Each structure stands twice: as structure tokens, then as C-alpha cells.
Amino acid sequence: MTKAFNSSDKKDLVIQYSVKHEQKIDCGGAYIKLLPGGDKFEATKFGGDTPYAVMFGPDICGQNKRTHVIFHYDKKDNNLLIKKDVGTETDQLSHLYTLVLRPDNTFEVFVDNKSVRSGKLDDEFDFLPAKEIKDPDQSKPEDWVDVKQIADPDDVKPEGYDDIPEEIPDPDATKPDDWDDEDDGEWEAPMMDNPDYKGPWSPKMIPNPDYKGPWVHPMIPNPEYSYDENMYAVCKDGCTHVGFELWQVKSGTIFDDIIITDSLEEAQKFAEETFFKKKEAEKEMFDEVQKKRREEEKAAMADEDTDFDMEDMDMMGDEF
């Protein structure tokens, strides 16, 4: 970077770049990472395990299609992933991804300059412990009844219920005319399900008069909870480099229009001068290429059909 970004300046952090998956990506990521390190940063050793302040960008694999938003949080010494996925674009055209991190502990994500997600850091990420916890001094009373139904004490099993067999001989079956008792043995009718058999007996259930409903554990304020005014400070020691982490089944992703700044207005102006200046022309060119490809495929299929018809004619000639 031409200039380090330091969170202590209490300015917005804006990360913006464009991504184009020319290869019609089916599984792969294309993330930009904002990195600390200053003069000590060793670019040749950059990799997946290199510490970073922000990781941002599209991630596509099968049915999972999202835009990663991850912030490093020193207090937990952990990288925090946004709780609810942010959507991403999946076509073969260029798209502009913008992330804004503000010193009021809010953030916003834009795709093609349209806001797709915004919120508070403590709502959308696990920066802070829960405000409330279950009261450790409380437990469900031993006499608490949470069984909704009970067996009817007045319901008794009918006399002879257990004597009813599951199967009975088929009353409509008859011994075959060619059955020989001496050769075939004594004939027995085949068995069939007994329509009177109702299965193992169990008493009917009735509402439990002592039912109190589900027991809810009382909550108390979490003594470990405290709000952190500096959640946004991912670059408290200064961020000086950017890097791209790439893992893809098929290569072919193009990155462009990269800017790291402290002004969303500046980033949007830069996008107008770069990304949006070429967006329409790229779409027209892409549509023209796709149209030409479809025409060529259609012509190729027609040629195959013609060749197939000629082969049929030759075979018919051979027959005669």
C-alpha cells in the first residue's frame, strides 16, 4: 500500500476491488486480505496462515455461494466470520465488492455499489460475550412437571385382549383338488392378518392435570460482558499490505480496480472512473461472444444431423 491505514485515526476503512470469474467457477474462493507488518512484512512467505486484519470476498463451491466478511479480533486472538451469509455474484462478468468498516462499530457491504448488508459488529459477529447467561444458582425444581400427557388411570385393558392372535387361517382358502394328504401331508390353510388384532395394548393418553409447561432457566447479566468501543480497530498497529488468497478447482479469476481508503466517496468515485466505465462494454462483448457460441453450436448440431441422415441413406442403399 502507498500509505498505511491505522485504526487509531478513527476513520472509515474502505476495501474495494472487482472480481471476474471467466472460467465459470464452480468451486473456489477469491478473497482479498488486509495485512499488518509494515517494513517487516515478508511477501515471499505470504500464505493461508499469514496473520491478517480483514478477509473479504466471494466464495463459491457447489450450493455454497457467499461473500466472506472476516475480521481479526485481538482480544480473542481469533478471526471472526459474519454469522449470516452475505450473497455473492456467480456469473462470468466483473463485479465490484466493497466493504466499509466504521469507527462507530458498524459495517456495510456493497456489491456493484448496491448495499447488500449492514449492521452492528456486535450483532453480526461474535466479538462480545453474551449479555446474559443462565443463572448458575438456579436449576429445575425436582417437583416440576413438564410431562404434557399421562396414561388414563381409568382406562383398563379389555378382558381377553392378549388372546387375540396376529394372524389367522384364511377362511376363504380351500384345499386344492390335487392335494394328496398321504403324499403332501395334512393341508393347512395359509395365514392372513387378523383384522381383530389391534397390536400391543396401551392405555389412552389424557392431559396431565399437573403439567406446568417447559421449565425456562432464569437468565442473569453476564459478569464477563463489557462493550468494546474498539471492535472496529482491526488495524490498531497499522495495515500496510494487501494479498489475495486463491484456492480454485479451475483457474481463471481476474482481479482489478483495487483501492484501500478511508473514504467511501473516494472509493465510489474511483469505481466510476474504472469499474463502471468499462462495465457496459464488457457486458455487450460477453453477450456477443455467447451469441456467437450458441450459433456455432447450433450449426455444429445441424451438421451432425446431416451427416447422420447421409449415413442412413448409405445403409439403405446397401440393403438394396
Side-chain angles (χ1 to χ4, degrees):
M1 293 166 55
T2 56
K3 179 182 177 182
F5 180 89
N6 199 304
S7 299
S8 62
D9 295 333
K10 294 188 179 296
K11 293 182 178 181
D12 291 354
L13 168 60
V14 183
I15 302 172
Q16 181 172 277
Y17 72 116
S18 67
V19 181
K20 181 180 182 181
H21 295 305
E22 283 195 327
Q23 74 278 44
K24 199 172 184 180
I25 193 167
D26 53 3
C27 192
Y31 324 123
I32 190 171
K33 287 184 173 182
L34 186 60
L35 309 159
D39 294 337
K40 296 180 180 179
F41 184 82
E42 298 183 67
T44 57
K45 294 184 178 180
F46 171 73
D49 295 328
T50 302
Y52 61 86
V54 181
M55 177 170 146
F56 172 60
D59 173 42
I60 298 169
C61 197
Q63 296 301 313
N64 295 320
K65 299 174 177 64
R66 58 187 175 180
T67 299
H68 270 317
V69 184
I70 304 175
F71 298 117
H72 182 77
Y73 190 42
D74 279 345
K75 285 190 175 182
K76 288 189 173 183
D77 190 23
N78 200 6
N79 301 317
L80 307 181
L81 174 66
I82 194 167
K83 296 177 186 177
K84 184 180 178 182
D85 284 350
V86 180
T88 195
E89 298 295 331
T90 60
D91 58 35
Q92 294 171 266
L93 298 172
S94 296
H95 292 283
L96 188 72
Y97 292 86
T98 308
L99 171 64
V100 183
L101 179 61
R102 302 185 175 97
D104 63 354
N105 283 332
T106 63
F107 77 100
E108 191 163 8
V109 178
F110 298 81
V111 177
D112 294 341
N113 214 21
K114 296 178 182 178
S115 179
V116 295
R117 179 69 60 79
S118 62
K120 299 178 180 179
L121 292 179
D122 49 318
D123 287 342
E124 301 279 348
F125 299 82
D126 288 325
F127 277 92
L128 306 177
K131 290 183 179 181
E132 291 186 319
I133 59 171
K134 293 178 179 179
D135 187 347
D137 296 327
Q138 295 287 335
S139 60
K140 185 169 70 172
E142 293 183 3
D143 61 350
W144 187 274
V145 179
D146 53 12
V147 178
K148 208 168 187 178
Q149 291 188 318
I150 59 172
D152 184 351
D154 297 326
D155 191 22
V156 294
K157 182 163 59 176
E159 187 176 346
Y161 187 92
D162 291 337
D163 298 331
I164 302 173
E166 290 187 42
E167 293 183 324
I168 58 173
D170 186 350
D172 295 328
T174 58
K175 184 168 68 173
D177 293 337
D178 60 352
W179 187 275
D180 189 313
D181 289 342
E182 290 185 4
D183 293 338
D184 300 325
E186 184 180 354
W187 181 82
E188 295 181 355
M191 303 299 286
M192 60 173 283
D193 291 338
N194 185 356
D196 295 327
Y197 179 73
K198 307 300 182 185
W201 184 84
S202 60
K204 67 180 181 181
M205 305 299 286
I206 61 172
N208 187 349
D210 297 324
Y211 176 67
K212 295 182 178 180
W215 184 76
V216 179
H217 203 128
M219 306 294 287
I220 61 170
N222 185 355
E224 296 183 2
Y225 174 83
S226 64
Y227 188 77
D228 183 3
E229 298 285 351
N230 297 311
M231 286 181 284
Y232 74 94
V234 295
C235 294
K236 62 184 183 68
D237 296 323
C239 291
T240 54
H241 293 74
V242 294
F244 289 92
E245 181 181 348
L246 305 177
W247 65 268
Q248 298 182 340
V249 175
K250 294 186 292 185
S251 62
T253 297
I254 298 173
F255 302 94
D256 204 354
D257 312 319
I258 306 163
I259 183 172
I260 312 296
T261 180
D262 57 17
S263 167
L264 178 59
E265 182 180 354
E266 180 185 3
Q268 290 175 333
K269 182 180 178 182
F270 179 75
E272 291 295 337
E273 296 170 350
T274 55
F275 174 78
F276 288 104
K277 196 171 183 178
K278 57 196 176 185
K279 186 173 185 291
E280 288 302 320
E282 178 190 316
K283 179 67 165 60
E284 291 174 4
M285 184 181 297
F286 178 81
D287 289 344
E288 185 62 32
V289 170
Q290 294 300 306
K291 180 181 178 182
K292 184 177 180 181
R293 179 184 61 79
R294 289 192 295 269
E295 290 173 349
E296 290 174 349
E297 289 177 352
K298 186 177 181 180
M301 290 178 65
D303 289 342
E304 289 178 3
D305 290 342
T306 301
D307 292 341
F308 182 76
D309 291 342
M310 292 298 295
E311 289 177 4
D312 285 350
M313 293 294 291
D314 291 341
M315 291 177 65
M316 289 176 65
D318 292 341
E319 290 178 2
F320 292 100

